[in-house]
Amino acid sequence: ETPESELLQRVVVDFALEQPANAMWSCFFMLAKRYRRWKRCPTSWCKYGFEWKKPEILLTSLRALNLLPTCQASSPCPHLAQGATEHPRAFGASGPRTVPVAERSLVPGPVN
């Protein structure tokens, strides 16, 4: 082996893959044995101040990553905790509640 290939075997690159919780191909990453070594972090964007729920699952090598839990009745986001019966905006909604594709495809800044 060359010194370069030895170095590549020792290099570790941390990652986080974000996928909608209901995406069919994300099931492959969640269930396949070879991917079980990585942490799965379910969360909802509304927990971080967004007006829409968008449940996500992050597959990551970052073991210390801890995200807010998914929005649900037992652990609601700020919108629902204040008594709202639905999120202010929604995917697939019509009118003022709709979330345009360009907006929902943006990657947010760091969430701390």
Side-chain angles (χ1 to χ4, degrees), residues 1 8-9 12 15 18 30 33 50 56-57 59 63 65 72-74 78 89-90 92 97 99 101-103 109:
E1 291 186 32
L8 288 175
Q9 290 176 6
V12 175
F15 69 91
E18 170 265 342
M30 301 307 144
K33 279 186 177 182
F50 290 88
E56 303 281 356
I57 298 176
L59 180 68
R63 291 279 171 202
L65 180 65
Q72 50 193 326
S74 61
R89 298 173 71 200
R97 288 192 64 230
V99 180
V101 172
E103 186 177 350

Side-chain angles (χ1 to χ4, degrees), residues 32-83:
K33 279 186 177 182
R34 70 182 343 172
Y35 300 107
R36 289 185 187 158
R37 62 182 159 171
W38 294 311
K39 184 175 181 176
R40 293 178 299 273
C41 299
T43 192
S44 300
W45 288 42
C46 57
K47 289 288 194 103
Y48 293 96
F50 290 88
E51 293 182 324
W52 56 86
K53 186 173 180 178
K54 195 176 183 188
E56 303 281 356
I57 298 176
L58 275 74
L59 180 68
T60 182
S61 62
L62 302 168
R63 291 279 171 202
L65 180 65
N66 290 308
L67 300 175
L68 296 173
T70 345
C71 179
Q72 50 193 326
S74 61
S75 175
C77 70
H79 303 292
L80 301 184
Q82 294 174 0

